[in-house]
Amino acid sequence: MRLPRVQGSCPVRRLQVWRALSYAALILLAVIYLAPVIWMALTSLKSPYEATAMPPTLLPARVTVESYEALARSGSQAPVLRWLLNSVLSAVAHALLVLATAAPAAYALARMEFRGKRLVLAAVLATLFVPPILFLPANYLIVRSLGWLDSLPALVVPPAASAFGVLFLRQFFLGFPRELEEAAALDGATRLQVLWKIVLPLSKPALATLAVLSVLSNWNDFLWPIYVLFNPEKLTLSPGLALLQAAHSTDYALVAAGAVVASVPILAVFIAAQRYVIEGVARTGLKG
Amino acid sequence: MQRARAPETRGGPGRPPGRRELLAGAGAAAGLLLLGCRGEPVDVRDQAAIAAGGSRGYGGPAVELAFWTGFTGGDRLPMERLIERFNREHDNITVRMSVTRWGDFYQKMPAAVESGHGPDVAVMHADQLATAAVHRTILPLDEVTEALGLGAGDFSDTLWSAGVFRGRRYGVPLDVHPLGLYYNRAVLAGAGLGDAALPRSRRDYLAILEQLKQRGVQGSWVSPALFTGGLMFQSLLWQEGGQLFSEDGVRATFDAEAGVEALGFMLELIQRGYSPRDVGQDADSIAFTNDRNAFIWNGIWMINIYRATPGLKWAVAPVPTIGAQRAVWANAHHLVLARQPSAGERRLQASVVFLDWLSRHSLEWAEAGMVPARREARESAAFQRMTEQAIFAEQLPVVRFPPAIAGIDAVRASTLDLAVNEAVLLRATPRAALRRAAREADALLAANLRKFARAL
Amino acid sequence: MSAVDVPLVEPGQAEVDGGAQSAPGVGQLRGRGPARSRWWAPYLFLTPYLALFGLFVLAPIALGVWISLHDWDPFLPSSPWVGLDNYADLFRSGSPSRGNFWRALRATALFTALSVPVLVTLPLLLALALDRSFPGRSLFRALFFAPYVLGVAVVALVWRLLLDPHVGVINHLLGKVGLPAGTGWTTAVPWVWVSLVGMTVWWTLGYNTVIYLAGLQNIHREIYDAARIDGATRWQLFRHVTLPGLRPVVMFVVMMTVLGSANMFGQAYLVTGGGPGSETRTVIMYIAEEGFRSFRLGAAAAMSYVHALLLALVNLGMVLLFFGRGGDEEAR
């Protein structure tokens, strides 16, 4: 901790009090902030009736795992684990596709000269802020023509065309020291070799960051999957969990249990990876 | 990040792109359009004729049928049990059910069927058959029902005719599910009221609610959502002698005096303090299960949900007659056959075997909280023993269905449902809300008529 | 201050302007490296991405225009040409889409105007707190990011039950501490907006915080140290070192948040259902209803183009605002 400039007779004690207060404030803030999540987790352990009891209970009057059992039982109709798997597959495949297509394109746009470069850059930039709904009707027809409806490619491929990844990586490559590349080029390496052996290995933080951002955007996508996935076992978590909400009555304990099952793995991954993400973002284009 | 500077970069969108790039783009788009255009669809009547062959049973190689429904609530398990039984009884047919929320179901069904990812057999509401028919999502069933020997006599005239659109039959009724009056016996008893005091008329209803209010209970929560406020409104509208839409589907008529009266009654419940303001979706029902609400106008499908609620003392009755005549909202589930992208002769025949079997087992289906469509099931002693269902069934002579007009569900949802919502949440007077919604509905109906005239 | 900005802006700018007359030093590699690469190498590098870009970005933009010129129902055998009718309907009195579309646009604009300031400032404060090093910092960072990974479906369902006016936890707790307990969080104006903005802030706050944290890491410690030696107060440090250093990041956050807010759909769809009436029905929600529930894909496409155009104007305005003022400052 950087030492604040403290004046007065007893800097050490004041510092300790200040630190304790800061911690208390931060912990209080975090608890309030996470209250809905904690409440959700507690609700998943209540009976469906208690979940909507009036007045509401905080702690389960009687801890029960019946909602988890119901989830496991509902098998083919609400296969939460299958949705989780689909979400993971879709997000990971999406991220890999983004990396595989954006990295070489970004490198070409950052380091190579060719006819049409300005046009490509302008086109990609111009589409960056187009709202996704604009693509929805037409992409729906295109995906249908490709025979991808109700299958994973519909979730993986079209969103990978976004401008974000290319511009993000290009920014990183622009700030990359040229000396290494030049040395490799002197040794007779081709462009592909330079990219593969020098640039990409040194770009790991940027690639990791782009991967995480891609995973998250794919994971949170709600609108698109509603329209391109049909069968319950093909759904991902976002539209799947919305399915647990019945037409005229909602079993909140069941929804909460589904949410817990769905979020524990990704939360664990995030807690493990968060420092890497922040550093990755920092070392990438976000500096400007 | 640099990208935010985008619009500043020179050579941006303002610079004319090269001619070649433009041409290439146009070519790609044109190619896609051609892909997007549909070839001549497989003749639906041929398919229907093939399907009719299923009336003689299915003896071919094993097939697996996809069966789509929206049974997400207390109606899911009974249907799953029925399907298990069907699968046990049929060696060479396996039925797999997929459940989607009804709201999403009707958006997905045409897309799924058209792309070859759809079901073989599905359940649809009576008021959705017309839309599905013009979209060629489902097959006409005249040959099928004829081969199966089914007719109005097996159901009832109202029910049977609800499956017909533009002279052709598209659905075989599985059940009727009317609205009814659920009452909380513990709440009523707490106010010194017994079962005998059930409300039959407007005056009874208001008198009981007043008595409950004296005991501090708001007895009839009015919901702004379609479930249950919208269904309550439609029932009241018909009771006041009104109609949702004109017979030919050209005009919205829910804003006539009957509609204003109907919505006015719902507001009266709030203004007199019999219902709280700002009731959220499902809150009326949650309050009911928590002994905070005495009456709820809800669908028969809630039977299993309330039955599973521990400690809840409840019973059902026909909805009271608030207006000039008896009437109550109802809808019906129909069994339909989906159009197949390729001629799947065996699947079509097996589908008819399943459809016929399910229709004949509508008594078991009644356990889901439904009134069976089959007359013999309805009149059976076994059904009469299902107390609550039988009470709902008493209303059959006065049930009203939403009209069979293509695209009607979306029109109602985007106009009437919003008007009820606005009025119940005290954002507009009933008259103003209904009138605005009706004029909007008129325009949508006209556009739909033009559009769907192109189909079939 | 521009010392912080310069290295961030220069390379990109130089490259875009690049081409033949680019500054010496920047293009040094070109003399040797590309000599070894074939003329088609860059195209090869671009092909996979451009294939996707062409098929799923450019083609849909073109195809969408085509769709918007028809009365397009994907499940009818023919979709007749209607010219600009779908666009004209958005301005013609008596057409249902006019009132609905502009009302939906108003809802979206209101949501954006209410949520963006909070989503830009609050995460900045949080990031400043979480940027200091203290034991447990990583855990706190993860905690504040946690809601974001839950996904909109879960977040919305949890909040719908928390916020319900009569059976929800929040009004119950308010009542317990003696505050008004009858607020229509999901049913009445203006509370629906408070709810939607509040839950969106709760849900996405962590995302912007992470971006800010990254930005803070890039402000060189030496600048702080130098300023401190000059006797700068904390506020002066924040005002004259932190803020200018973060300017590009703030701008990025603003633009991404505006884009995200302008595309709000799931929260309103699942929590308020667009109500009361159509108060919280956002543009995206209305377009989705028109296109996929009413099967009026042509009208939906036309509306999405108008929406995109307006959004582009807003973005352009923001860029001018940022750079217009920024330029002045730098000139001084």
Side-chain angles (χ1 to χ4, degrees):
Chain A
M1 194 164 192
R2 270 181 273 126
L3 273 179
R5 293 163 66 85
V6 189
Q7 273 140 27
S9 56
C10 195
V12 176
R13 188 175 302 158
R14 275 187 62 175
L15 186 66
Q16 280 172 344
V17 171
W18 174 245
R19 186 182 287 176
L21 280 177
S22 310
Y23 262 106
L26 206 54
I27 289 171
L28 186 71
L29 206 65
V31 168
I32 293 172
Y33 194 71
L34 286 184
V37 177
I38 298 164
W39 181 76
M40 179 187 86
L42 290 172
T43 298
S44 75
L45 297 170
K46 297 174 186 171
S47 70
Y49 171 69
E50 196 193 335
T52 54
M54 290 168 69
T57 57
L58 178 61
L59 295 173
R62 184 176 58 85
V63 173
T64 167
V65 292
E66 64 182 282
S67 292
Y68 291 92
E69 284 168 4
L71 269 186
R73 235 190 358 257
S74 65
S76 63
Q77 297 319 324
V80 176
L81 292 177
R82 181 67 199 257
W83 296 338
L84 183 67
L85 180 70
N86 287 345
S87 278
V88 170
L89 283 178
S90 160
V92 169
H94 169 74
L96 290 178
L97 184 63
V98 168
L99 293 184
T101 56
Y107 187 70
L109 290 171
R111 284 287 198 259
M112 297 163 140
E113 292 308 322
F114 54 94
R115 278 178 62 101
K117 175 174 167 178
R118 292 212 287 189
L119 178 77
V120 171
L121 254 182
V124 173
L125 276 170
T127 58
L128 185 60
F129 285 105
V130 175
I133 187 86
L134 190 82
F135 305 122
L136 199 132
N139 260 339
Y140 173 80
L141 296 179
I142 291 170
V143 163
R144 187 179 71 170
S145 311
L146 292 169
W148 287 356
L149 287 177
D150 207 22
S151 69
L152 224 46
L155 295 193
V156 170
V157 184
S162 95
F164 183 88
V166 167
L167 297 173
F168 181 85
L169 287 183
R170 172 175 178 268
Q171 204 55 39
F172 183 81
F173 294 153
L174 284 175
F176 202 78
R178 280 163 187 272
E179 293 73 27
L180 283 171
E181 293 169 70
E182 286 172 10
L186 280 178
D187 290 347
T190 64
R191 280 289 194 188
L192 197 61
Q193 284 166 331
V194 170
L195 176 65
W196 187 249
K197 293 199 171 137
I198 313 277
V199 177
L200 289 186
L202 289 171
S203 308
K204 272 182 192 158
L207 297 176
T209 303
L210 181 58
V212 170
L213 293 180
S214 304
V215 162
L216 281 175
S217 80
N218 197 268
W219 187 269
N220 272 324
D221 200 357
F222 180 62
L223 189 58
W224 176 245
I226 286 185
Y227 295 110
V228 291
L229 301 180
F230 306 130
N231 282 293
E233 70 268 24
K234 296 284 175 60
L235 296 181
T236 51
L237 278 171
S238 278
L241 290 175
L243 179 74
L244 291 181
Q245 182 189 15
H248 1 75
S249 63
T250 302
D251 183 344
Y252 281 98
L254 185 72
V255 171
V260 169
V261 171
S263 52
V264 164
I266 186 99
L267 273 183
V269 169
F270 180 75
I271 290 174
Q274 62 92 21
R275 172 184 290 168
Y276 201 42
V277 173
I278 290 173
E279 279 164 16
V281 174
R283 288 169 60 182
T284 319
L286 268 180
K287 47 192 173 174
Chain B
M1 200 166 302
Q2 203 72 19
R3 44 215 219 73
R5 301 223 167 193
E8 269 214 336
T9 46
R10 269 154 273 163
R15 181 182 164 278
R19 197 165 294 125
R20 260 174 306 163
E21 283 95 341
L22 267 189
L23 282 177
L32 281 163
L33 277 175
L34 290 178
L35 280 174
C37 289
R38 305 181 343 165
E40 202 52 36
V42 185
D43 191 315
V44 290
R45 294 186 186 193
D46 283 355
Q47 289 199 0
I50 293 166
S55 63
R56 295 185 300 275
Y58 175 75
V63 290
E64 190 176 285
L65 300 179
F67 176 50
W68 281 23
T69 72
F71 299 135
T72 51
D75 40 14
R76 201 185 81 198
L77 278 176
M79 185 51 90
E80 280 180 355
R81 279 199 294 271
L82 268 172
I83 287 168
E84 270 167 34
R85 186 167 152 203
F86 175 87
N87 287 341
R88 268 201 313 277
E89 290 179 10
H90 295 78
D91 292 336
N92 50 359
I93 307 177
T94 310
V95 174
R96 289 194 56 213
M97 178 162 76
S98 289
V99 177
T100 308
R101 285 201 304 165
W102 286 121
D104 300 335
F105 181 95
Y106 293 110
Q107 293 182 0
K108 290 186 175 187
M109 177 90 175
V113 165
E114 203 222 17
S115 61
H117 295 93
D120 297 283
V121 187
V123 171
M124 279 192 170
H125 289 99
D127 58 332
Q128 292 278 358
L129 294 174
T131 316
V134 294
H135 280 152
R136 293 179 180 247
T137 305
I138 53 177
L139 293 177
L141 296 178
D142 303 274
E143 285 94 337
V144 172
T145 48
E146 199 175 317
L148 291 172
L150 290 175
D154 298 306
F155 301 90
S156 81
D157 285 339
T158 335
L159 265 174
W160 185 240
S161 59
V164 175
F165 173 66
R166 293 195 191 161
R168 294 186 70 82
R169 160 161 310 279
Y170 287 92
V172 173
L174 176 65
D175 65 62
V176 203
H177 43 273
L179 212 60
L181 183 74
Y182 289 82
Y183 58 98
N184 186 315
R185 299 170 70 179
V187 172
L188 287 182
L193 295 159
D195 281 11
L198 275 185
R200 293 273 171 208
S201 68
R202 180 189 183 110
R203 198 195 307 152
D204 301 347
Y205 198 53
L206 292 178
I208 293 179
L209 289 176
E210 183 59 34
Q211 215 164 328
L212 285 165
K213 188 183 167 188
Q214 305 301 327
R215 302 292 182 107
V217 178
Q218 296 182 304
S220 182
W221 288 35
V222 178
S223 161
L226 174 65
F227 300 99
T228 58
L231 305 186
M232 184 182 191
F233 169 80
Q234 293 180 38
S235 302
L236 291 169
L237 171 75
W238 283 312
Q239 288 190 359
E240 299 286 355
Q243 288 292 337
L244 284 170
F245 301 98
S246 64
E247 202 80 349
D248 50 7
V250 178
R251 273 178 56 81
T253 51
F254 52 72
D255 64 327
E257 213 46 43
V260 179
E261 287 280 321
L263 201 44
F265 177 75
M266 292 166 70
L267 279 178
E268 195 182 331
L269 295 181
I270 299 172
Q271 279 148 4
R272 288 178 179 239
Y274 304 152
S275 162
R277 296 175 49 167
D278 289 320
V279 175
Q281 189 175 345
D282 295 346
D284 48 343
S285 184
I286 293 176
F288 184 79
T289 56
N290 279 286
D291 296 341
R292 300 284 180 94
N293 184 7
F295 296 112
I296 180 166
W297 299 40
N298 212 336
I300 187 171
W301 53 80
M302 293 303 283
I303 286 177
N304 281 349
I305 305 229
Y306 292 146
R307 194 172 280 157
T309 306
L312 182 65
K313 293 195 180 68
W314 59 284
V316 297
V319 298
T321 307
I322 304 299
Q325 61 194 69
R326 289 187 70 198
V328 63
W329 175 93
N331 208 334
H333 289 125
H334 281 247
L335 294 165
V336 300
L337 293 187
R339 184 171 68 84
Q340 298 303 321
S342 54
E345 199 165 314
R346 288 175 185 148
R347 302 171 69 87
L348 279 170
Q349 291 183 359
S351 299
V352 170
V353 172
F354 174 58
L355 183 150
D356 183 41
W357 186 91
L358 209 51
S359 171
R360 279 187 287 107
H361 288 75
S362 68
L363 180 62
E364 286 92 322
W365 173 234
E367 283 164 18
M370 301 287 161
V371 178
R374 288 276 190 142
R375 187 190 296 276
E376 74 214 6
R378 239 172 21 237
E379 290 170 354
S380 68
F383 179 70
Q384 293 307 319
R385 279 195 297 274
M386 300 184 197
T387 319
E388 287 87 9
Q389 280 90 332
I391 293 173
F392 271 90
E394 285 171 23
Q395 304 179 106
L396 278 202
V398 296
V399 297
R400 303 291 185 94
F401 288 127
I405 303 166
I408 202 70
D409 173 73
V411 172
R412 194 214 63 241
S414 61
T415 59
L416 176 61
D417 292 0
L418 292 191
V420 171
N421 186 283
E422 280 195 303
V424 169
L425 293 177
L426 312 180
R427 301 243 305 157
T429 64
R431 191 179 300 277
L434 289 172
R435 178 171 302 153
R436 196 163 54 232
R439 294 296 75 78
E440 196 176 320
D442 286 347
L444 294 173
L445 288 169
N448 273 352
L449 272 183
R450 272 198 310 279
K451 184 171 102 170
F452 291 127
R454 303 200 301 268
L456 289 185
Chain C
M1 297 307 106
S2 56
V4 182
D5 264 340
V6 165
L8 321 176
V9 179
E10 282 298 80
Q13 215 58 8
E15 207 57 38
V16 172
D17 295 345
Q21 79 288 6
S22 91
V26 175
Q28 269 177 5
L29 185 60
R30 204 174 307 128
R32 286 159 273 179
R36 255 170 247 298
S37 64
R38 308 269 182 258
W39 66 269
W40 42 257
Y43 299 103
L44 191 69
F45 277 37
L46 277 169
T47 303
Y49 175 73
L50 284 189
L52 288 182
F53 186 72
L55 189 55
F56 297 110
V57 174
L58 294 184
I61 289 177
L63 184 54
V65 172
W66 182 254
I67 291 174
S68 75
L69 302 174
H70 293 76
D71 180 4
W72 195 293
D73 180 333
F75 308 113
L76 289 183
S78 68
S79 291
W81 172 270
V82 295
L84 292 173
D85 277 8
N86 285 325
Y87 294 91
D89 275 351
L90 301 179
F91 302 95
R92 189 168 52 78
S93 72
S95 107
S97 27
R98 186 179 80 149
N100 285 327
F101 177 71
W102 296 105
R103 212 165 24 251
L105 208 58
R106 175 189 165 274
T108 298
L110 194 59
F111 177 78
T112 308
L114 291 172
S115 63
V116 170
V118 188
L119 278 172
V120 169
T121 52
L122 205 58
L124 177 59
L125 297 179
L126 192 62
L128 288 172
L130 293 176
D131 187 46
R132 325 176 115 244
S133 69
F134 58 90
R137 179 176 76 163
S138 300
L139 182 68
F140 279 111
R141 286 179 173 183
L143 288 184
F144 283 103
F145 194 78
Y148 188 72
V149 301
L150 288 181
V152 69
V154 171
V155 167
L157 284 176
V158 167
W159 280 95
R160 197 180 93 182
L161 189 54
L162 286 173
L163 290 165
D164 188 281
H166 296 284
V167 302
V169 176
I170 288 177
N171 269 350
H172 172 72
L173 291 178
L174 287 176
K176 271 205 155 170
V177 299
L179 292 167
T183 309
W185 297 110
T186 59
T187 51
V189 179
W191 308 114
V192 277
W193 290 116
V194 175
S195 303
L196 290 176
V197 170
M199 64 170 279
T200 306
V201 168
W202 179 79
W203 178 39
T204 60
L205 173 123
Y207 187 83
N208 285 356
T209 305
V210 166
I211 309 273
Y212 278 128
L213 280 171
L216 287 172
Q217 293 209 339
N218 279 304
I219 302 174
H220 302 292
R221 293 283 172 238
E222 304 88 66
I223 305 178
Y224 281 106
D225 294 339
R228 232 180 261 121
I229 289 167
D230 290 346
T233 62
R234 274 198 162 185
W235 167 250
Q236 284 170 328
L237 281 180
F238 175 74
R239 175 70 189 80
H240 295 292
V241 181
T242 310
L243 265 191
L246 277 181
R247 210 183 63 194
V249 179
V250 172
M251 196 182 60
F252 170 74
V253 168
V254 169
M255 295 192 114
M256 290 317 283
T257 310
V258 165
L259 184 69
S261 300
N263 288 310
M264 196 268 263
F265 167 71
Q267 298 96 300
Y269 179 68
L270 294 169
V271 175
T272 61
S278 52
E279 172 77 21
T280 58
R281 181 167 66 178
T282 61
V283 172
I284 303 300
M285 200 172 151
Y286 181 56
I287 292 176
E289 269 175 27
E290 279 287 281
F292 290 91
R293 180 164 189 171
S294 305
F295 303 104
R296 307 201 318 136
L297 224 49
M303 286 186 261
S304 61
Y305 279 90
V306 175
H307 175 51
L309 187 73
L310 292 171
L311 196 60
L313 288 178
V314 169
N315 271 319
L316 190 67
M318 281 194 307
V319 167
L320 290 178
L321 195 74
F322 269 105
F323 286 100
R325 228 185 42 201
D328 288 350
E329 263 176 33
E330 265 154 23
R332 246 181 279 138

